[in-house]
Amino acid sequence: MSTFTRTSTGSTSDGKNGTTEGTLNATTTEADRRPRLSGMTWLVWRQHRAAFWAILAATALSVAWIVYQRGQLVDFLDGYGYPGKSLDEAGGKFQQYNDAFSFVSMGLQAIPVMLGVFLGAPLIAGDLENGTAKLVVAQSMSRTRWLATKLALAGLVVVVSTGVLSAVFGWWWNPVKSEVTVMDWTSGTAFNTTGPVPVALTLFSVFGGVAIGVVLRRTLMAMVVTFGFTVVLQLVWGYFLMSLGNVITVTTNKGVLGENAFPPIPKSAYQIDESYLTSGGDLLGWSTCANANTDQARELCLKKADVVGWSVDYLPMSQMNGMQWFGASILFALTAGVVAFLFFWGRKRLV
């Protein structure tokens, strides 16, 4: 007499086959529940999957290396006795960590240029050049949806990769953040590689490259022009970087030659300018009376010029986060303008 059991679907079979069919049904059900790309999203991902996966893989490898370096740094600091002992006394023992910071920072600063050239410029220019764009818009999908999907997927990959790298790099730098000898917070090595700035710079570079490709309609030409655009963007951004903060001015009236005459400013503050202050509130350049040969002659010269103290302008490190978000908001607004241009242009001239 054979033994029968009822399967989960209500059909009958022997015990062995019932187990197999139940397993297959369960596997099929689980597979059906997994999120899958479809339609235009699947098409765009498949078309650019090599670039997207390369970016994500490079991000994962970089994160793993930074995490390892952070562990090495913390072990060194604990063994050295920091912050009880100054890193200035470490000499060459800390040099390898300085070199690691410089190496990674240079790589992170190159990301906006690289992604702008190799991801942004060819994203749509390649389709316009080889005729793929005409084939896509000839289907049931609108060109607006095609363009939106392209920009959304590229933007998502950029935000995820640069956001993760920015967070991990800032976490690595945090134990020695106050040490100017490691990384000056006002320089691009720190300011452009932490917080929201890397995301904003890269998004603007990539979408700017997309706009250039849409207008020029030739991949190689778009990549060359995008390279120039991203380099100029970095230079202009660096030039106006310090104007994002609120300058703080401190003054003294105890003379300029005494031991404690110069006003104290916070550690790691960025000193913008220093001037002599007269009793009338006027500012004189620090080179005033520089030609005096002796301290007595210089003192007489300063007294004749009615100098009573110092005036110093500086930016404290506490403003760094606010400056980064203010600058990033400007870049995000410019990026939104580029996206608006792409949709306006795409309605009539994309194909």
Side-chain angles (χ1 to χ4, degrees):
M1 179 178 66
S2 60
T3 304
F4 290 89
T5 57
R6 185 168 298 274
T7 66
S8 59
T9 59
S11 62
T12 59
S13 64
D14 59 27
K16 181 178 179 180
N17 291 337
T19 303
T20 303
E21 290 181 9
T23 302
L24 290 174
N25 290 335
T27 304
T28 303
T29 302
E30 291 177 0
D32 291 340
R33 292 177 180 176
R34 294 173 184 172
R36 291 182 177 181
L37 299 179
S38 60
M40 186 63 69
T41 305
W42 175 86
L43 177 64
V44 172
W45 178 268
R46 183 172 178 81
Q47 183 183 11
H48 301 286
R49 65 186 184 279
F52 292 159
W53 280 121
I55 293 171
L56 295 176
T59 300
L61 291 174
S62 299
V63 168
W65 194 81
I66 291 175
V67 170
Y68 170 76
Q69 289 295 325
R70 209 263 186 182
Q72 295 291 103
L73 173 66
V74 172
D75 289 343
F76 170 81
L77 295 177
D78 291 341
Y80 178 72
Y82 182 83
K85 294 175 61 178
S86 173
L87 289 179
D88 295 336
E89 303 173 4
K93 297 179 181 179
F94 193 75
Q95 186 59 42
Q96 61 175 322
Y97 302 101
N98 270 330
D99 294 341
F101 276 115
S102 299
F103 174 74
V104 176
S105 178
M106 287 178 60
L108 294 180
Q109 290 182 85
I111 288 178
V113 178
M114 294 178 62
L115 292 189
V117 172
F118 294 105
L119 177 63
L123 190 70
I124 296 177
D127 293 338
L128 296 174
E129 187 175 14
N130 59 31
T132 305
K134 293 183 179 180
L135 177 62
V136 171
V137 299
Q139 309 303 315
S140 58
M141 300 295 180
S142 66
R143 67 183 68 186
T144 301
R145 182 175 178 182
W146 173 63
L147 178 60
T149 306
K150 283 246 183 183
L151 296 179
L153 280 180
L156 178 62
V157 171
V158 167
V159 170
V160 169
S161 59
T162 55
V164 169
L165 286 173
S166 171
V168 176
F169 186 72
W171 174 65
W172 178 24
W173 178 45
N174 190 64
V176 290
K177 191 174 183 179
S178 61
E179 300 292 335
V180 179
T181 55
V182 178
M183 283 199 307
D184 185 359
W185 69 271
T186 62
S187 65
T189 56
F191 196 91
N192 295 342
T193 55
T194 58
V197 174
V199 179
L201 269 176
T202 308
L203 269 182
F204 186 46
S205 298
V206 169
F207 285 175
V210 173
I212 292 171
V214 166
V215 174
L216 297 181
R217 307 173 72 90
R218 294 292 183 270
T219 303
L220 183 59
M221 185 182 302
M223 293 174 72
V224 173
V225 175
T226 300
F227 176 77
F229 163 73
T230 53
V231 171
V232 171
L233 171 63
Q234 296 275 355
L235 294 175
V236 173
W237 172 258
Y239 180 79
F240 289 102
L241 191 148
M242 287 298 99
S243 62
L244 299 173
N246 297 316
V247 178
I248 296 177
T249 301
V250 291
T251 59
T252 61
N253 56 2
K254 302 177 182 179
V256 295
L257 299 179
E259 182 177 351
N260 297 319
F262 196 82
I265 59 177
K267 183 181 180 181
S268 303
Y270 174 70
Q271 184 175 317
I272 299 175
D273 192 16
E274 62 181 49
S275 306
Y276 290 135
L277 180 68
T278 66
S279 60
D282 297 327
L283 299 180
L284 302 177
W286 59 268
S287 59
T288 302
C289 300
N291 294 328
N293 297 326
T294 62
D295 291 341
Q296 185 178 4
R298 185 185 178 194
E299 185 175 359
L300 291 174
C301 177
L302 292 173
K303 186 176 181 180
K304 184 177 180 180
D306 197 23
V307 172
V308 296
W310 289 99
S311 176
V312 178
D313 299 333
Y314 71 93
L315 288 173
M317 191 177 186
S318 58
Q319 291 192 19
M320 179 181 180
N321 190 54
M323 291 170 62
Q324 286 180 315
W325 278 105
F326 178 50
S329 65
I330 296 175
L331 293 172
F332 285 137
L334 293 174
T335 303
V338 172
V339 172
F341 163 78
L342 285 169
F343 280 105
F344 174 79
W345 184 280
R347 292 180 61 184
K348 298 181 179 179
R349 305 182 184 181
L350 187 57
V351 178

